[in-house]
């Protein structure tokens, strides 16, 4: 199915450094980005790099040390299961019917998901989902410091999500700060990632043919605008053995942004074509790494897909359209890759 004329009228404008990366290195496998950094986009080399060792605690995208305190893999796994249970409970319950999803995305979708999953939690926890806190870590920790110090801390037994129930068990100021930090670490990436992913899909491909399944649309959006567009591995002795172009002191940046556009792997790689996923398996497609490598998949992938399909279903069924007056969408240089402001409007 060729893209519609409406879709072709939209232009996606990458931040200059991202545009330069795509223009200079698409189709290459290993190349030097900085005096101490090697870029890897070739899928075979990337496979060997990511399989060579597990990510260290500072390389993990979500569960890095929190205020200097290490987060063990066991704790990360427990917290992941906890927010996963809250997501499943939200999806199993009655869904709101009167929510207007018109407005600026991904913010509108983010707020919908926050209220759907975490709506019963106290404000001091729900406020940690604010996208404004991404402006600076100092702002985040100021909000956490105030929230941990205020009286009226939630108590075990209150009507809370399971994630908030974990926070309610914290005693003392320092433990409350840590609990609030973990609450944000666990819940915010789910809401941020899903809303950004759906906004990207709408910008790239809407209006969609009714026969195209939500799953294919989401997978294709993940290909062209992978929210986690790079995977960092710090210098390690395993890597020069994988490829002699990598030095002993070189950090390695694996780049799904480029492998997802490699013309050797994808037909018509720059075009949004969700039908390609009729015959492709996202778990085995070479170079496709939206949730990381098979040796260490992203902890949230089992939540992201059903939530993204739910949100996309609501938009597709609402009759909303991408603002026809917007022809250019900017993709800033951020850790979470996405079109900054996708406007959904009611058809005139």
């Amino acid at each position: 199915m060729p893209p519609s004329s409406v879709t072709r009228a939209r232009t996606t404008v990458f931040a200059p450094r991202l545009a330069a990366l795509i223009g200079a290195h698409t189709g290459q496998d290993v190349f030097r980005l900085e005096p101490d950094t090697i870029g890897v986009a070739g899928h075979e080399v990337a496979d060997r790099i990511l399989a060579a060792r597990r990510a260290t605690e500072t390389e993990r995208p979500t569960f890095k040390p929190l205020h200097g305190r290490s987060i063990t893999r066991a704790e990360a796994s427990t917290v992941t299961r906890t927010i996963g249970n809250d997501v499943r409970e939200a999806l199993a319950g009655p869904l709101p019917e009167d929510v207007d999803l018109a407005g600026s995305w991904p913010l509108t979708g983010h707020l919908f998901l926050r209220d759907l999953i975490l709506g019963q939690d106290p404000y001091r926890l729900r406020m940690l989902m604010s996208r404004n806190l991404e402006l600076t870590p100092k702002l985040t920790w100021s909000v956490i410091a105030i929230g941990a110090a205020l009286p009226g801390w939630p108590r075990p037994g209150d009507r809370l999500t399971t994630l908030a129930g974990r926070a309610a068990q914290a005693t003392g100021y320092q433990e409350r700060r840590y609990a609030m930090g973990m609450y944000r670490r666990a819940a915010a990436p789910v809401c941020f990632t899903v809303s950004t992913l759906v906004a990207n899909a709408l910008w790239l491909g809407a209006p969609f043919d009714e026969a195209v399944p939500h799953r294919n649309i989401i997978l294709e959006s993940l290909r062209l605008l992978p929210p986690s567009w790079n995977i960092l591995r710090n210098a390690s002795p395993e890597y020069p053995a994988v490829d002699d172009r990598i030095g002993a002191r070189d950090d390695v940046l694996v780049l799904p942004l480029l492998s997802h556009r490699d013309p050797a792997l994808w037909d018509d790689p720059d075009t949004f074509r969700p039908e390609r996923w009729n015959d492709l398996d996202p778990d085995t497609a070479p170079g496709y790494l939206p949730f990381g490598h098979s040796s260490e998949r992203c902890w949230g992938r089992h939540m992201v897909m059903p939530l993204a399909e739910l949100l996309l279903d609501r938009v597709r069924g609402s009759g909303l359209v991408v603002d026809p007056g917007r022809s250019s969408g900017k993709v800033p240089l951020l850790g979470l890759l996405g079109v900054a402001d996708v406007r959904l409007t009611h058809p005139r």
Side-chain angles (χ1 to χ4, degrees), residues 105-284:
W105 281 66
L107 178 60
T108 300
H110 170 77
L111 296 177
F112 173 84
L113 292 173
R114 180 201 65 186
D115 294 343
L116 175 69
I117 302 167
L118 309 167
Q120 65 197 46
D121 289 345
Y123 179 69
R124 78 176 75 199
L125 295 178
R126 286 187 294 111
M127 72 186 301
L128 296 173
M129 299 302 101
S130 172
R131 297 184 75 96
N132 292 332
L133 297 186
E134 293 196 303
L135 296 174
T136 167
K138 290 183 179 179
L139 178 58
T140 301
W141 284 108
S142 296
V143 170
I144 287 176
I146 294 170
L150 287 173
W153 185 255
R155 297 169 298 178
D158 289 349
R159 185 175 178 272
L160 303 166
T161 62
T162 312
L163 185 64
R166 283 180 55 89
Q169 298 173 20
T171 58
Y173 174 70
Q174 293 298 335
E175 287 302 308
R176 290 176 177 179
R177 288 177 74 229
Y178 182 77
M180 291 185 72
M182 285 297 289
Y183 184 97
R184 176 173 168 81
R185 287 281 184 91
V190 176
C191 298
F192 290 168
T193 301
V194 172
S195 55
T196 298
L197 172 55
V198 174
N200 291 345
L202 294 166
W203 177 260
L204 291 169
F208 307 109
D209 188 290
E210 291 184 3
V212 178
H214 304 320
R215 171 187 174 276
N216 287 15
I217 293 169
I218 297 300
L219 292 173
E220 185 69 346
S221 175
L222 282 165
R223 185 183 71 82
L224 283 173
L225 289 174
S228 295
W229 59 273
N230 69 82
I231 304 170
L232 174 66
R233 290 292 182 265
N234 293 318
S236 189
E238 294 90 349
Y239 300 148
V242 168
D243 192 293
D244 59 14
R245 288 169 288 185
I246 303 172
R249 297 183 179 180
D250 284 331
D251 294 334
V252 177
L253 201 64
V254 177
L255 293 159
L257 178 68
L258 301 187
S259 65
H260 289 190
R261 287 175 162 75
D262 188 340
L265 301 176
W266 310 95
D267 293 332
D268 201 7
D270 294 322
T271 301
F272 185 85
R273 287 177 50 190
E275 68 275 10
R276 75 174 78 237
W277 295 101
N278 292 336
D279 304 312
L280 290 175
D281 182 345
D283 289 332
T284 59

Side-chain angles (χ1 to χ4, degrees), residues 1 8 18 25-26 34 52 56 69 72 77 84 95 132-134 137 139 170 179 231 238 254 256 260 298 334 348:
M1 179 186 66
R8 286 196 296 269
L18 292 172
H25 299 297
T26 296
E34 301 288 348
T56 65
R69 177 171 166 177
T72 66
S77 178
L95 300 176
N132 292 332
L133 297 186
E134 293 196 303
L139 178 58
I231 304 170
E238 294 90 349
V254 177
H260 289 190
C298 170
L334 296 173
R348 296 173 182 174

Side-chain angles (χ1 to χ4, degrees), residues 29 33 49 58 157 209 278 318 333:
D29 60 347
L33 287 170
I49 289 289
T58 57
D209 188 290
N278 292 336
S318 70
L333 180 59

